[in-house]
Structures are given as C-alpha cells and as structure tokens.
Amino acid sequence: KKKQKKIFSDHMSLIRSGTDLIENVSSDIFTQDMSTANFPLNISLCGERFKLKSVKGLTCIKATAVKELDLSNNLLETLDGVGHLQTLRKLTCSSNRISRLSVSIDDPTAVVRCSRLTHLDLSNNLLTTFPDVSELVQLQILNLNSNKISSLQSEGWKNLVNCTKLTNLSVAYNLLNLTQSSADIVKSTLNSLTRLSVLQFEGNPFWQDSEDIRCFFISINPKLTLLGETKVSAKERVQGRSIGGSLPSANGKQESLKKESESSSEEDDQLDPSQRVSDFMNGREDKIIVNPNKRKSTDKKKVLNN
C-alpha cells in the first residue's frame, strides 16, 4: 500500500510541476498499480496548472478506491467519467463550465451512480435548470450557488424530495423568481427535507432579507438555523409559526393574515384592522398584542369607579 501511495504521489507531483497545461485526465496519468489500489484516495485535480476539459480517464481507477475528488477551477463542461467512482463521498466541481448533468442511472459515467455521495458542490457553473440528484439519497450538502438556474418548478427540484438526509441546500445567486404558482411546489419539496438546517437563496431576484420572506421559509422548515447569510432568531420562529407557510403577496401582506385575524378576533376586537396589518408588516407585532385578562381587569375598575 505504501508503494501504491508513493506511485500516485509521484505522478501527481510530476503533473503539478509541469509547465504545460493539461487538457484531459487520461489513463497515462495513472499507472496500472492504481487500477488495483484498495486504499481510500483523496484526489485533487484543481488549480491553474490543469485546466481540464475532460475527466473520462478517471475510469482507469478502481471504483472503490476514491472517497474525495476535487475538480474545481477547470474547464469541464460535463462530468462524464466520475460516475465510475461509486464509493465517492465528496465531489467538488466549482468554477467550471458545467451546463448539464447526466441523470440516467443506466449511464455508467453519470454522477448519479455515485450512490454514496454526501457532498456535491456545483457552484459557479452554467447550470440553467435544477439538476436531478434524486438518485443520491445519501446527499447531505448540495451547493448550486452562482449558476443560471431560473425555475424551481422543474423535475429536478420536485425530485429533491428523495434526498431526505439533506441538511445544507444552497441555491444563492441564481435567476430564481418565486411566484404564487411556484410557492406550493417549493413548499412541498421543502416540507420533505425535515433535516434541513441551512438554506440559502440570497442573491436571487425574489430574495429580500425581509421579515415576511424569511418567515415564509422558516414556517416550512422550523429547524432552520441559517437562512441566507443570517442566523434564524427565536422571534422569527414564533412569527414563522403564526403565518402558516403562506407566501407574501405582491403588495407585501401575508395571505394568511386574514385567517390569523379571525382566530385572534377576541384579542384584537378593539384594534384598528388597518393599523394591525401595518404593524405586522413593519415588525411591530409584539407591540400590538393585547392581554385580554388585563383588558377585563381594566373594565372592572371602570365599573367600580362609576
């Protein structure tokens, strides 16, 4: 095993010390010994010296040999060849030119064949649709930041419900708009991700780091600890429960406000409804809650004084 590690280390050192840019990972990089290697490998092929355009040569490595693979900062348009590494746990492919992922489980080179993958980073690429990673049921961290994804109504987003172990989902700095018609789809998917603790949507056209947008997502996933770039506060959790997962309408008012008003009419019967809406949307809800017991006590004092 020590000999095999040294062989691999020598080859990688030779690559890094070269002056010419390598456009492809080919089987020439790896010796025959690598095809029978049994020890876990963490391979890094990132950086300015590589500028890889293809990684099909990775198929010469034994399928059970690699646990982590870093292909960031290259010129890759696809990840054909990676699917061969079926024991892969962490795959980093940020800052490439990837515009699609093969989603066919029958494709021996498709990433979705890496069934043990727990960490997938595809940030800063050219993806235009949400990739279908539903076969990656062990996935815990998915980073799709800084792409060109424009919709959350695709099959890829809907099929994310299969990734029930997901804890971190980042889709920041894309081209997403959240409409009333897509809100139910978004809610349905996020409802299935019960372990989700980090959710990032900042930098999209719909995103405003405002109370109503934040409460919408918190109401769907009460276990969130980080939303956008800000930690979720105890106050936001309470407000999230109160709105019942309704998307803020275009004029900024919660669609669930009417239901909430009806359920608390006994407490708010002396409040001006328009003032209540204004206060709610300006984050002053805590200032307009009236204790009904205190009100009754005050009324009794007035009777006695009279």
Side-chain angles (χ1 to χ4, degrees), residues 236-251:
E236 287 179 319
R237 294 188 194 283
V238 174
Q239 292 174 329
R241 287 194 296 268
S242 70
I243 70 170
S246 296
L247 178 68
S249 57
N251 61 5

Side-chain angles (χ1 to χ4, degrees), residues 73-112:
N73 295 294
N74 281 291
L75 302 174
L76 299 173
E77 296 182 3
T78 67
L79 293 175
D80 296 344
V82 174
H84 168 71
L85 307 174
Q86 296 181 19
T87 57
L88 199 63
R89 302 294 180 85
K90 181 178 181 179
L91 177 59
T92 305
C93 304
S94 59
S95 300
N96 278 280
R97 299 176 179 178
I98 300 169
S99 59
R100 66 174 181 85
L101 285 184
S102 176
V103 298
S104 174
I105 197 66
D106 297 324
D107 181 354
T109 66
V111 173
V112 293

